[in-house]
Amino acid sequence: MLLTDFVLHKSFTSSEFDGVTAMEIGAGTGLVGLAHARVARRIFITDRGTDILDNCLANVRLNSSMLKFDEAKVLVRELDWKLSWPPPVGTRDASDPSSIYLWSASEIKEAEQATLLFAADVIYSDDLTDLFFDTVRQLMSSGAKKVMYLTLEKRYNFSLDELGVVANGYKHFRSFFTVLDGCGGQDNATLKPGLVGEQIDLAMVPQYIREYDRGKDLEMWKLMYWPD
């Protein structure tokens, strides 16, 4: 919901997200992608598993009229992080309903020209975080220059090693990118190849959706890929 608030705010106050190709990774219900579909040229809503993808597709069809977007510019596709990027090319089979979520070669090329990536609440398991960032790095290093907006909630657990409550998953997440300085910049010579990140001040994102509490453990990051 936080990332959806951000997308809505961008669409209400600027044209930055208008007419672009974007992808939501680990979409769940597809809420963020649906919000962006109002102004996007193309939005890929991706996740893994037929049940989840069926639900995403149902949400596209249920909300296109209310949100006033063309269903044809929203593609629901399977993206399994275990297979990284690019996904396998598949052939539609009328006897297999799940085949509608397979990628064509042209769709992969189109997705690689996306300039915006979205991911919300995908950081909760170190193993999945490894797979997620491997997929993101492969995708962001292909095709057009991309920016990813990611939201997460810190999850705390008791650690025997630390003898206290810690957010180990969050520490693991932060290990995947270099943080830009407070001014949003850094000497290019000091940047290592890979991902760089800048935390977004949530006070700058109005809360349009009232059905959630932001609390103190929600964060939003802007991530970019710094090439070799």
Side-chain angles (χ1 to χ4, degrees), residues 155-172:
R155 288 177 165 85
Y156 294 91
N157 296 285
F158 183 82
S159 168
L160 290 175
D161 293 334
E162 304 284 346
L163 292 179
V165 177
V166 295
N168 282 328
Y170 178 75
K171 292 171 65 176
H172 190 61

Side-chain angles (χ1 to χ4, degrees), residues 27-116:
T29 62
L31 178 62
V32 176
L34 293 178
H36 186 234
R38 299 169 55 254
V39 297
R41 187 191 76 82
R42 169 79 78 195
I43 175 74
F44 292 90
I45 294 178
T46 71
D47 212 312
R48 176 180 179 272
T50 302
D51 290 345
I52 294 175
L53 297 170
D54 284 346
N55 189 54
C56 286
L57 185 57
N59 285 335
V60 170
R61 292 168 175 170
L62 285 169
N63 291 283
S64 60
S65 177
M66 181 181 69
L67 295 177
K68 298 181 174 58
F69 64 81
D70 181 2
E71 291 181 17
K73 66 181 179 181
V74 182
L75 295 181
V76 177
R77 293 291 180 266
E78 182 158 50
L79 182 57
D80 187 343
W81 304 343
K82 292 180 180 178
L83 303 177
S84 193
W85 183 269
V89 173
T91 302
R92 305 289 167 81
D93 182 350
S95 65
D96 179 8
S98 67
S99 69
I100 64 173
Y101 304 123
L102 297 175
W103 294 77
S104 68
S106 62
E107 289 168 352
I108 292 173
K109 289 181 179 179
E110 184 179 8
E112 289 181 342
Q113 295 308 310
T115 54
L116 273 177

